[in-house]
Amino acid sequence: MPTLVRQLVTDVLVVVWVYLWIRVAIWVHDTVELLAVPGQKLESAGGGIADNLADAGGKVGRVPLVGDQLVKPFNGAADAARSLADAGHQQQDLVDKLALILPLMAIAVPLALVLFLWLPLRLRWIRRASTALAVREQAAGKDLLALRALASQPLSDLAKLGPDIAQSWRAGDAAAVDALAELELKRLGLRKARAGLRS
């Protein structure tokens, strides 16, 4: 597979990979948020019961002679209901924290792989390709690319250019220099610009 095509396919796969993990993180967030529903109901019910008991205690407290004694159980029950409401609120706070932390954990490792493995490799390739593009525009650019090909290309690829390719390059054979320069550009996923590499 040509280098440029491989780079494009890899870029698309990385984008899809990041998108899928973002979707997973959103799903985790939404799923965890569902755990807050019982806490919301508990807070709502506890608050409602506490209000009703406090209201009933206020009315019972108006009963002559025994009102003060009758109001104590209502106040105690209202306090217990408020405790239930507070517990529901605390559960919601905990769920909100988990709904933030768990998706971040779900997406942290995939993003770390992209940022610390793929991105440096991609930036290195961009830097090499940019340098090759700049070099090929210079007067001696094709000679430098040819020398780089002789130094770094596999022997099998060099042998396809002919058994005496190194000798031809040393002799300054323009066809050999062009062939070697094109081989190096192909390794970087670039196409030879004919006008830029011609003498």
Side-chain angles (χ1 to χ4, degrees):
M1 182 184 296
T3 304
L4 185 59
V5 173
R6 189 171 63 241
Q7 289 289 349
L8 290 174
V9 168
T10 304
D11 291 349
V12 169
L13 289 176
V14 167
V15 169
V16 170
W17 165 268
V18 170
Y19 171 77
L20 289 176
W21 279 104
I22 289 172
R23 296 296 302 164
V24 167
I26 291 170
W27 176 81
V28 168
H29 175 271
D30 293 345
T31 303
V32 171
E33 280 293 336
L34 293 176
L35 297 175
V37 173
Q40 292 167 356
K41 291 181 178 178
L42 187 61
E43 182 180 15
S44 176
I49 292 171
D51 291 343
N52 290 337
L53 287 171
D55 186 45
K59 290 177 182 175
V60 169
R62 293 187 212 127
V63 174
L65 300 176
V66 292
D68 290 340
Q69 293 175 353
L70 293 175
V71 81
K72 288 180 183 177
F74 285 96
N75 288 341
D79 289 341
R82 284 190 195 94
S83 296
L84 287 175
D86 287 343
H89 184 72
Q90 289 172 3
Q91 187 212 5
Q92 291 174 71
D93 287 344
L94 178 61
V95 167
D96 287 342
K97 289 176 185 173
L98 286 176
L100 178 65
I101 293 169
L102 292 179
L104 287 177
M105 290 174 62
I107 202 169
V109 172
L111 285 183
L113 291 174
V114 169
L115 292 175
F116 297 113
L117 292 180
W118 172 81
L119 188 59
L121 293 174
R122 189 70 170 103
L123 291 175
R124 186 171 63 186
W125 176 81
I126 289 171
R127 191 171 53 247
R128 287 178 180 174
S130 299
T131 302
L133 288 172
V135 165
R136 80 176 181 185
E137 300 302 326
Q138 298 172 3
K142 62 183 175 180
D143 287 325
L144 288 173
L145 290 170
L147 179 59
R148 176 74 177 158
L150 282 171
S152 63
Q153 292 291 330
L155 290 176
S156 58
D157 290 345
L158 292 173
K160 291 176 185 174
L161 299 177
D164 59 346
I165 189 67
Q167 180 63 35
S168 299
W169 173 77
R170 271 197 298 269
D173 181 349
V177 171
D178 281 347
L180 286 167
E182 184 171 3
L183 186 63
E184 182 63 14
L185 290 172
K186 280 177 67 176
R187 182 182 72 85
L188 294 170
L190 304 171
R191 292 282 177 232
K192 182 172 90 167
R194 298 285 177 188
L197 289 177
R198 279 182 182 154
S199 302

